[in-house]
Amino acid sequence: MKFILQDLKVNINNNIYLKDPESSTLGKKIIEFSILLIDEIGFDSFTFKKLGEKIGSNESSIYRYFENKHKLLLYLTSWYWGWLEYQLVFTTNSISDAKEKLNKAIEIITRATKEDSSFSHINEVLLNKIVINEYSKSYLTKEVDNENKEGYFSIYKRLVNRIKDMIMEVDNHYKYPTSLASTVTEGSLHQHFLKDHFSSLTDCDEKITPTTYFINLVFNSLNNQKNG
Amino acid sequence: MKFILQDLKVNINNNIYLKDPESSTLGKKIIEFSILLIDEIGFDSFTFKKLGEKIGSNESSIYRYFENKHKLLLYLTSWYWGWLEYQLVFTTNSISDAKEKLNKAIEIITRATKEDSSFSHINEVLLNKIVINEYSKSYLTKEVDNENKEGYFSIYKRLVNRIKDMIMEVDNHYKYPTSLASTVTEGSLHQHFLKDHFSSLTDCDEKITPTTYFINLVFNSLNNQKNG
DNA sequence: CAAAAGTAATAGTATTACTATCAATATTTA
DNA sequence: TAAATATTGATAGTAATACTATTACTTTTG
């Protein structure tokens, strides 16, 4: 898997950036160190000036790649969801049994990223943490409808849609496959957050993972005589 | 119900404010118009200066009530959850059947607020919208652990805990009552948001409400032979 | 080797997020 | 009712943020 992922280039809507960060050394540095810095100080305190200091570059150089830090967050999170989607498709592709396939899919989207694939400038473990802590901020804005129209969230939407399709493969009488898919995707981030900061609001801990919980939740709902 | 709610004073952790906004006319004006203004321009663009202009008061006067806008958001959302908790307790109190009780509880926490009770300076319909759009921002911060220790989220935690208890009353063998309770509470806000901005990520619309979806989700999981 | 592209440095603006001071006005209490 | 006290408003000021513009230097490429 690692070998194949080496050639992965996530296709990100090119209106999110002004200049493709993958196209230059500075661009890659911006991505690499923005992940480290956002993880370190949080997105709210993160500024292009601080990032510039960190990479020994000028603030104005960073502005040539991204209009503002919001767009950078959209870029990072899009990359993350694209990376997850790749794993999802790659891993579940060969599974013919619908239940087994869905089971694997839930596992992939709900697990914590534990290993940095280390071939690239992107630290996936930290990026996963950033998505848990900051993703909501990318869409809880007054501009969300415009940005959605522009296609800034299309990778995420495609991912949720894939889960929905797998749910329907298991039970095409279940009435809420889309909501269930979005509940698992977003709810997983939330359960991870609760585990780290509000342990009294979750059953998840070292033993019980969000994966365990969500697999149980989903399969309880599917092919269940109560759901009709 | 309205009559009783008239005397409601939600008990908010007094470290959230510098001076109790309920204690003066200006304080109440701050609460009343901050709800209108945040709904109008969003929390990110909201500033105390703009609020001051709106209520014909000085920026510095508002700073005497709240340290910053983050604390004001904590105040508003705490009030909202306290108000919901009151409704929950009041409405479910007399119900003896555990399933019926849980059903009613889910209804209360997942429904959209449609009517402003209009007795007070607080517009609950708009406040509900603010909670949907902005609540996550109150805890997705680097300060969350300290603020949690200070008790800034205790009303929310107590509410989720009440749902958890009701879930356990219905099925005390179910393994994830706390996660299910937090999934419903947070997931409900999320489904409402999706309904308004990402309709392709939810089955909820005018006909299917988040209430319908979550009641189905919860009762499929409880007393289900698969859940063991 | 010259042109083009990319990057850095500097400077500058408007806004934000406050703090401090003092005067004016209301309210409380002796 | 006068004095004391609390509350609010006005003004000013600071440091940081979120940019934009210009110019010059450096590297790549044709």
Side-chain angles (χ1 to χ4, degrees):
Chain A
M1 170 114 115
K2 273 189 183 177
F3 180 71
I4 295 158
L5 280 169
Q6 268 185 49
D7 296 319
L8 170 70
K9 166 101 163 72
V10 178
N11 221 327
I12 289 165
N13 184 306
N14 56 21
N15 290 316
I16 289 183
Y17 49 78
L18 297 168
K19 181 177 152 75
D20 186 358
E22 286 298 316
S23 71
S24 74
T25 312
L26 179 62
K28 283 176 199 151
K29 255 183 135 179
I30 289 171
I31 300 306
E32 178 176 3
F33 287 92
S34 66
I35 291 171
L36 302 178
L37 189 55
I38 291 172
D39 176 65
E40 191 187 329
I41 64 174
F43 184 69
D44 298 336
S45 299
F46 172 88
T47 68
F48 281 178
K49 192 170 190 184
K50 289 175 188 168
L51 178 60
E53 279 158 24
K54 189 135 189 155
I55 63 179
S57 266
N58 200 275
E59 193 188 1
S60 58
S61 303
I62 300 164
Y63 275 106
R64 277 199 216 89
Y65 287 83
F66 294 100
E67 258 178 88
N68 49 47
K69 68 174 185 172
H70 170 69
K71 289 280 180 86
L72 172 60
L73 181 62
L74 286 173
Y75 182 92
L76 295 176
T77 55
S78 291
W79 194 96
Y80 175 81
W81 295 118
W83 177 74
L84 251 201
E85 185 191 25
Y86 184 89
Q87 289 176 69
L88 182 83
V89 173
F90 186 83
T91 310
T92 60
N93 190 37
S94 59
I95 305 173
S96 56
D97 181 71
K99 284 186 188 178
E100 203 189 316
K101 193 177 198 132
L102 177 59
N103 198 93
K104 192 77 200 169
I106 297 172
E107 197 188 310
I108 288 165
I109 59 159
T110 62
R111 72 185 170 196
T113 307
K114 274 182 192 133
E115 237 187 292
D116 177 19
S117 51
S118 75
F119 55 81
S120 76
H121 52 292
I122 296 183
N123 183 323
E124 289 91 2
V125 177
L126 295 185
L127 185 52
N128 176 233
K129 285 173 66 186
I130 289 173
V131 169
I132 290 169
N133 292 309
E134 322 285 2
Y135 184 54
S136 308
K137 296 173 191 169
S138 76
Y139 58 80
L140 294 178
T141 67
K142 280 280 168 183
E143 295 78 34
V144 62
D145 295 334
N146 278 329
E147 295 190 345
N148 187 23
K149 259 183 222 152
E150 291 287 318
Y152 294 177
F153 303 100
S154 58
I155 299 178
Y156 181 74
K157 283 158 74 176
R158 204 169 56 211
L159 179 72
V160 173
N161 204 53
R162 286 184 192 277
I163 315 275
K164 181 211 75 184
D165 288 342
M166 293 183 195
I167 289 170
M168 290 175 76
E169 288 284 323
V170 172
D171 181 358
N172 69 344
H173 291 296
Y174 178 66
K175 285 190 201 158
Y176 318 106
T178 315
S179 286
L180 189 58
S182 57
T183 297
V184 172
T185 311
E186 203 277 337
S188 165
L189 300 180
H190 191 57
Q191 292 296 315
H192 279 289
F193 185 85
L194 295 178
K195 183 168 61 66
D196 294 338
H197 301 287
F198 292 96
S199 57
S200 74
L201 297 186
T202 180
D203 299 290
C204 299
D205 53 25
E206 293 80 39
K207 286 175 225 160
I208 301 170
T209 62
T211 305
T212 315
Y213 163 62
F214 280 110
I215 284 177
N216 179 279
L217 187 76
V218 169
F219 285 99
N220 271 334
S221 271
L222 303 184
N223 295 314
N224 185 336
Q225 63 280 19
K226 285 196 217 165
N227 78 13
Chain B
M1 170 116 114
K2 273 190 184 177
F3 181 70
I4 295 156
L5 280 168
Q6 268 187 49
D7 295 319
L8 171 71
K9 165 102 164 70
V10 179
N11 220 327
I12 289 165
N13 184 306
N14 57 21
N15 289 315
I16 288 182
Y17 48 79
L18 297 169
K19 181 177 152 76
D20 185 359
E22 287 298 316
S23 71
S24 73
T25 312
L26 178 61
K28 283 177 201 151
K29 253 182 136 179
I30 289 171
I31 300 307
E32 178 176 3
F33 287 92
S34 65
I35 291 171
L36 303 178
L37 190 54
I38 292 172
D39 176 65
E40 189 187 332
I41 65 176
F43 184 69
D44 299 336
S45 300
F46 172 88
T47 68
F48 282 178
K49 190 168 191 187
K50 289 175 188 169
L51 177 60
E53 280 159 23
K54 190 134 187 154
I55 63 179
S57 264
N58 201 273
E59 194 188 1
S60 60
S61 303
I62 300 165
Y63 274 106
R64 284 199 202 90
Y65 285 83
F66 294 100
E67 259 178 87
N68 48 49
K69 69 176 185 171
H70 169 69
K71 288 281 181 84
L72 172 60
L73 181 62
L74 286 173
Y75 183 93
L76 294 177
T77 55
S78 290
W79 194 97
Y80 176 80
W81 295 118
W83 176 74
L84 252 201
E85 185 191 25
Y86 184 90
Q87 287 176 71
L88 182 82
V89 172
F90 185 84
T91 311
T92 61
N93 191 37
S94 59
I95 305 174
S96 55
D97 180 71
K99 284 186 188 179
E100 203 189 316
K101 191 176 199 133
L102 178 59
N103 198 93
K104 193 75 199 172
I106 297 171
E107 197 188 309
I108 288 165
I109 60 159
T110 61
R111 72 185 170 195
T113 306
K114 276 181 193 134
E115 237 187 291
D116 177 18
S117 51
S118 75
F119 55 81
S120 76
H121 51 293
I122 296 183
N123 182 324
E124 289 91 2
V125 176
L126 295 185
L127 185 53
N128 175 233
K129 285 174 67 184
I130 289 173
V131 170
I132 290 170
N133 292 310
E134 322 285 1
Y135 183 54
S136 307
K137 296 173 191 169
S138 76
Y139 59 81
L140 295 177
T141 68
K142 281 279 168 186
E143 296 77 34
V144 63
D145 295 335
N146 279 330
E147 294 189 345
N148 187 21
K149 260 182 220 150
E150 291 286 319
Y152 293 179
F153 302 100
S154 58
I155 299 178
Y156 181 73
K157 284 157 73 175
R158 205 169 57 211
L159 179 72
V160 173
N161 204 54
R162 286 184 191 276
I163 315 276
K164 181 210 75 184
D165 288 342
M166 292 183 195
I167 290 170
M168 290 176 75
E169 288 282 325
V170 171
D171 181 356
N172 69 344
H173 292 296
Y174 178 66
K175 285 188 200 158
Y176 318 106
T178 315
S179 286
L180 189 58
S182 56
T183 297
V184 173
T185 312
E186 202 278 336
S188 164
L189 299 180
H190 191 56
Q191 293 295 316
H192 278 289
F193 185 85
L194 295 178
K195 183 169 61 67
D196 294 338
H197 302 286
F198 292 95
S199 56
S200 74
L201 297 184
T202 181
D203 299 291
C204 299
D205 53 25
E206 292 81 39
K207 286 175 224 161
I208 301 171
T209 62
T211 304
T212 315
Y213 163 62
F214 280 110
I215 284 177
N216 180 280
L217 187 77
V218 169
F219 285 100
N220 272 334
S221 272
L222 303 184
N223 294 316
N224 185 337
Q225 63 278 20
K226 286 196 217 165
N227 78 15

